[in-house]
PDB file of all heavy atoms in Angstrom:
ATOM      1  N   ASP A  52     113.028 115.867 -17.332  1.00 80.00           N
ATOM      2  CA  ASP A  52     112.183 116.597 -16.379  1.00 80.00           C
ATOM      3  C   ASP A  52     110.736 116.714 -16.832  1.00 80.00           C
ATOM      4  O   ASP A  52     109.867 117.069 -16.050  1.00 80.00           O
ATOM      5  CB  ASP A  52     112.752 117.994 -16.123  1.00 80.00           C
ATOM      6  CG  ASP A  52     114.083 117.938 -15.399  1.00 80.00           C
ATOM      7  OD1 ASP A  52     114.330 116.955 -14.678  1.00 80.00           O
ATOM      8  OD2 ASP A  52     114.881 118.881 -15.571  1.00 80.00           O
ATOM      9  N   GLN A  53     110.468 116.425 -18.114  1.00 83.00           N
ATOM     10  CA  GLN A  53     109.106 116.525 -18.628  1.00 83.00           C
ATOM     11  C   GLN A  53     108.520 115.178 -19.018  1.00 83.00           C
ATOM     12  O   GLN A  53     107.305 115.039 -19.122  1.00 83.00           O
ATOM     13  CB  GLN A  53     109.074 117.456 -19.840  1.00 83.00           C
ATOM     14  CG  GLN A  53     109.401 118.879 -19.494  1.00 83.00           C
ATOM     15  CD  GLN A  53     109.401 119.781 -20.716  1.00 83.00           C
ATOM     16  OE1 GLN A  53     109.314 119.321 -21.848  1.00 83.00           O
ATOM     17  NE2 GLN A  53     109.502 121.073 -20.497  1.00 83.00           N
ATOM     18  N   ASP A  54     109.365 114.180 -19.256  1.00 89.00           N
ATOM     19  CA  ASP A  54     108.875 112.861 -19.664  1.00 89.00           C
ATOM     20  C   ASP A  54     108.110 112.200 -18.522  1.00 89.00           C
ATOM     21  O   ASP A  54     108.416 112.422 -17.352  1.00 89.00           O
ATOM     22  CB  ASP A  54     110.042 111.961 -20.063  1.00 89.00           C
ATOM     23  CG  ASP A  54     110.687 112.390 -21.370  1.00 89.00           C
ATOM     24  OD1 ASP A  54     110.050 113.143 -22.133  1.00 89.00           O
ATOM     25  OD2 ASP A  54     111.815 111.958 -21.627  1.00 89.00           O
ATOM     26  N   PRO A  55     107.121 111.367 -18.850  1.00 91.00           N
ATOM     27  CA  PRO A  55     106.430 110.621 -17.800  1.00 91.00           C
ATOM     28  C   PRO A  55     107.404 109.681 -17.090  1.00 91.00           C
ATOM     29  O   PRO A  55     108.355 109.194 -17.694  1.00 91.00           O
ATOM     30  CB  PRO A  55     105.381 109.801 -18.549  1.00 91.00           C
ATOM     31  CG  PRO A  55     105.408 110.244 -19.954  1.00 91.00           C
ATOM     32  CD  PRO A  55     106.621 111.059 -20.172  1.00 91.00           C
ATOM     33  N   LEU A  56     107.155 109.467 -15.819  1.00 92.00           N
ATOM     34  CA  LEU A  56     107.970 108.517 -15.067  1.00 92.00           C
ATOM     35  C   LEU A  56     107.552 107.101 -15.432  1.00 92.00           C
ATOM     36  O   LEU A  56     106.360 106.788 -15.476  1.00 92.00           O
ATOM     37  CB  LEU A  56     107.804 108.751 -13.565  1.00 92.00           C
ATOM     38  CG  LEU A  56     108.358 110.088 -13.070  1.00 92.00           C
ATOM     39  CD1 LEU A  56     107.878 110.379 -11.663  1.00 92.00           C
ATOM     40  CD2 LEU A  56     109.869 110.099 -13.144  1.00 92.00           C
ATOM     41  N   CYS A  57     108.524 106.254 -15.690  1.00 93.00           N
ATOM     42  CA  CYS A  57     108.281 104.856 -16.078  1.00 93.00           C
ATOM     43  C   CYS A  57     108.710 103.957 -14.928  1.00 93.00           C
ATOM     44  O   CYS A  57     109.897 103.877 -14.593  1.00 93.00           O
ATOM     45  CB  CYS A  57     109.072 104.536 -17.343  1.00 93.00           C
ATOM     46  SG  CYS A  57     108.871 102.834 -17.888  1.00 93.00           S
ATOM     47  N   LYS A  58     107.747 103.280 -14.330  1.00 94.00           N
ATOM     48  CA  LYS A  58     108.018 102.455 -13.154  1.00 94.00           C
ATOM     49  C   LYS A  58     107.450 101.066 -13.395  1.00 94.00           C
ATOM     50  O   LYS A  58     106.292 100.935 -13.784  1.00 94.00           O
ATOM     51  CB  LYS A  58     107.380 103.091 -11.921  1.00 94.00           C
ATOM     52  CG  LYS A  58     107.861 104.522 -11.698  1.00 94.00           C
ATOM     53  CD  LYS A  58     107.112 105.206 -10.595  1.00 94.00           C
ATOM     54  CE  LYS A  58     107.600 106.647 -10.437  1.00 94.00           C
ATOM     55  NZ  LYS A  58     106.958 107.323  -9.302  1.00 94.00           N
ATOM     56  N   THR A  59     108.275 100.056 -13.179  1.00 94.00           N
ATOM     57  CA  THR A  59     107.805  98.689 -13.389  1.00 94.00           C
ATOM     58  C   THR A  59     108.024  97.853 -12.137  1.00 94.00           C
ATOM     59  O   THR A  59     109.020  98.018 -11.432  1.00 94.00           O
ATOM     60  CB  THR A  59     108.494  98.010 -14.589  1.00 94.00           C
ATOM     61  OG1 THR A  59     109.875  97.792 -14.293  1.00 94.00           O
ATOM     62  CG2 THR A  59     108.351  98.849 -15.852  1.00 94.00           C
ATOM     63  N   VAL A  60     107.081  96.965 -11.895  1.00 93.00           N
ATOM     64  CA  VAL A  60     107.170  96.018 -10.783  1.00 93.00           C
ATOM     65  C   VAL A  60     106.960  94.631 -11.361  1.00 93.00           C
ATOM     66  O   VAL A  60     105.905  94.347 -11.936  1.00 93.00           O
ATOM     67  CB  VAL A  60     106.104  96.310  -9.702  1.00 93.00           C
ATOM     68  CG1 VAL A  60     106.204  95.297  -8.574  1.00 93.00           C
ATOM     69  CG2 VAL A  60     106.236  97.737  -9.178  1.00 93.00           C
ATOM     70  N   ALA A  61     107.984  93.790 -11.227  1.00 93.00           N
ATOM     71  CA  ALA A  61     107.907  92.421 -11.730  1.00 93.00           C
ATOM     72  C   ALA A  61     107.524  91.489 -10.587  1.00 93.00           C
ATOM     73  O   ALA A  61     108.252  91.363  -9.598  1.00 93.00           O
ATOM     74  CB  ALA A  61     109.250  92.004 -12.324  1.00 93.00           C
ATOM     75  N   LEU A  62     106.370  90.884 -10.728  1.00 93.00           N
ATOM     76  CA  LEU A  62     105.914  89.911  -9.741  1.00 93.00           C
ATOM     77  C   LEU A  62     106.567  88.561 -10.028  1.00 93.00           C
ATOM     78  O   LEU A  62     107.150  88.339 -11.089  1.00 93.00           O
ATOM     79  CB  LEU A  62     104.390  89.782  -9.804  1.00 93.00           C
ATOM     80  CG  LEU A  62     103.591  91.065  -9.578  1.00 93.00           C
ATOM     81  CD1 LEU A  62     102.111  90.795  -9.753  1.00 93.00           C
ATOM     82  CD2 LEU A  62     103.877  91.656  -8.214  1.00 93.00           C
ATOM     83  N   LEU A  63     106.469  87.667  -9.068  1.00 91.00           N
ATOM     84  CA  LEU A  63     107.013  86.325  -9.248  1.00 91.00           C
ATOM     85  C   LEU A  63     106.253  85.597 -10.356  1.00 91.00           C
ATOM     86  O   LEU A  63     105.048  85.772 -10.508  1.00 91.00           O
ATOM     87  CB  LEU A  63     106.903  85.521  -7.955  1.00 91.00           C
ATOM     88  CG  LEU A  63     107.684  86.058  -6.754  1.00 91.00           C
ATOM     89  CD1 LEU A  63     107.365  85.224  -5.515  1.00 91.00           C
ATOM     90  CD2 LEU A  63     109.176  86.062  -7.035  1.00 91.00           C
TER      91      LEU A  63
END
Side-chain angles (χ1 to χ4, degrees):
D52 293 334
Q53 294 178 351
D54 290 342
L56 294 167
C57 179
K58 303 173 182 184
T59 68
V60 179
L62 302 177
L63 297 175

